Each structure stands twice: as C-alpha cells, then as structure tokens.
Amino acid sequence: MYYLSVFIHITSAIFWIGGMLFTAGVLVPATRHELLKNKKGEFFTLVGKKFSRISWVLFIALIVTGITNLLTRGYTIEQLLTGSFWIEVFGGYLFIKLLVFGLVLIVSGIHDFYAGPKAAELMDEQPDHSQTKQMRKISSWLGRLNLILGLVILYYAMRLLRG
C-alpha cells in the first residue's frame, strides 16, 4: 500500500508541476503568435479551466496520499498530534512542506477562481484597457508564485526523504 500511495503522490506532483512548467514555457509564449491575436482570452479560458480542474483533483490526491504515506510509513495520528513530532527534523521539514502547500491552495484559489478568469475575459473584450493589463499581470504573477511554491514543496519533499 505504501509504495502505491507514494507512486500516486509523486505522479500527481509531477503532473501538477510539469503542467505549470509547460504552461510557462510553451503555452504562454505560444499565445504571442499571430494565430491567437484576438483569441488569447478564449484560449486561456479553455486551457485554464481544464488545467484548473485537473489541478484540484491532483491536490485532493496529494492530500489523501500524503496522509496515507505517513500512516503506512509507521507514523500514528497520536504522534502527528504531538508537538515533539513537529520539532524533530522530519516533522520540521514536513511542517514547512504543508505550510507551503497551504499557500499553494490559497494562491491557486485566487488564480483559478478570480484573477485568471477575469484576465481571460478582459483580454478579448478590452485587450488594451489598463484593467486588462493589471489583471493579466496579477494572474501571471500568481501563476509564477505557484510554480515557485511547487518547487519549494519539491525541495522539502526531497529533504524529508534524504535528510
């Protein structure tokens, strides 16, 4: 059970972080092409909705498998509820990882349910308006922040296993 849970956990993280890297490295630059000149908002709406749905399913999978990983690795709920667990090296790294994951959920919520859809809507309706530029910038920075936070989580996941 432990290895299956770890496999699903790692695969989910790869899919989520890889999706953000693909978006930043391929999709966003592709929108500068003449083909999408007047369809950027529509394009981001289509891609954003699909990736958002997948991301939230992945977040649930990461939470379930994360808990399963701890329990099948031998940690008990009683241990996890004691302060001494969280001041040890493993618990400290886990705390940082969980704290950053909480930030990811907040940033993702703001990006996926407000800033991203609003920016995409304005891109096609009022492409040169100052509010459009502001929402695009906010949405873009939230996406970048989430990628950075995802990489921080990856770093602390590595520290959990490698010390």
Side-chain angles (χ1 to χ4, degrees):
M1 178 69 161
Y2 173 72
Y3 292 112
L4 176 62
S5 181
V6 170
F7 178 79
I8 293 169
H9 196 80
I10 291 171
T11 303
S12 296
I14 289 169
F15 197 104
W16 175 61
I17 292 173
M20 288 190 297
L21 289 168
F22 181 78
T23 298
V26 177
L27 292 182
V28 171
T31 64
R32 296 184 188 106
H33 192 277
E34 187 68 27
L35 180 69
L36 294 172
K37 184 177 181 181
N38 297 320
K39 298 283 187 185
K40 287 181 185 181
E42 194 175 328
F43 177 76
F44 278 121
T45 297
L46 175 69
V47 172
K49 281 183 181 178
K50 291 191 181 298
F51 188 63
S52 176
R53 281 188 209 121
I54 290 169
S55 293
W56 287 96
V57 169
L58 293 171
F59 293 155
I60 292 167
L62 288 165
I63 292 167
V64 170
T65 57
I67 293 167
T68 303
N69 293 349
L70 284 171
L71 296 177
T72 57
R73 194 169 174 190
Y75 293 99
T76 65
I77 296 204
E78 291 78 26
Q79 283 177 296
L80 299 175
L81 295 176
T82 63
S84 61
F85 172 81
W86 300 101
I87 59 172
E88 295 173 5
V89 174
F90 182 87
Y93 289 147
L94 180 60
F95 178 78
I96 294 168
K97 184 181 171 199
L98 294 175
L99 181 67
V100 176
F101 184 70
L103 291 173
V104 162
L105 294 176
I106 292 167
V107 172
S108 292
I110 295 168
H111 179 273
D112 294 359
F113 302 116
Y114 175 70
K118 185 69 174 171
E121 174 188 324
L122 291 170
M123 272 188 247
D124 289 340
E125 291 176 4
Q126 304 171 3
D128 297 322
H129 194 275
S130 62
Q131 185 185 12
T132 304
K133 292 175 184 175
Q134 181 182 17
M135 287 309 299
R136 286 184 68 188
K137 187 175 275 189
I138 290 169
S139 181
S140 175
W141 278 106
L142 288 171
R144 290 176 183 140
L145 177 58
N146 244 1
L147 176 57
I148 291 166
L149 292 173
L151 294 173
V152 169
I153 291 170
L154 182 60
Y155 172 80
Y156 280 98
M158 177 195 69
R159 293 300 305 261
L160 280 172
L161 299 174
R162 301 289 178 226

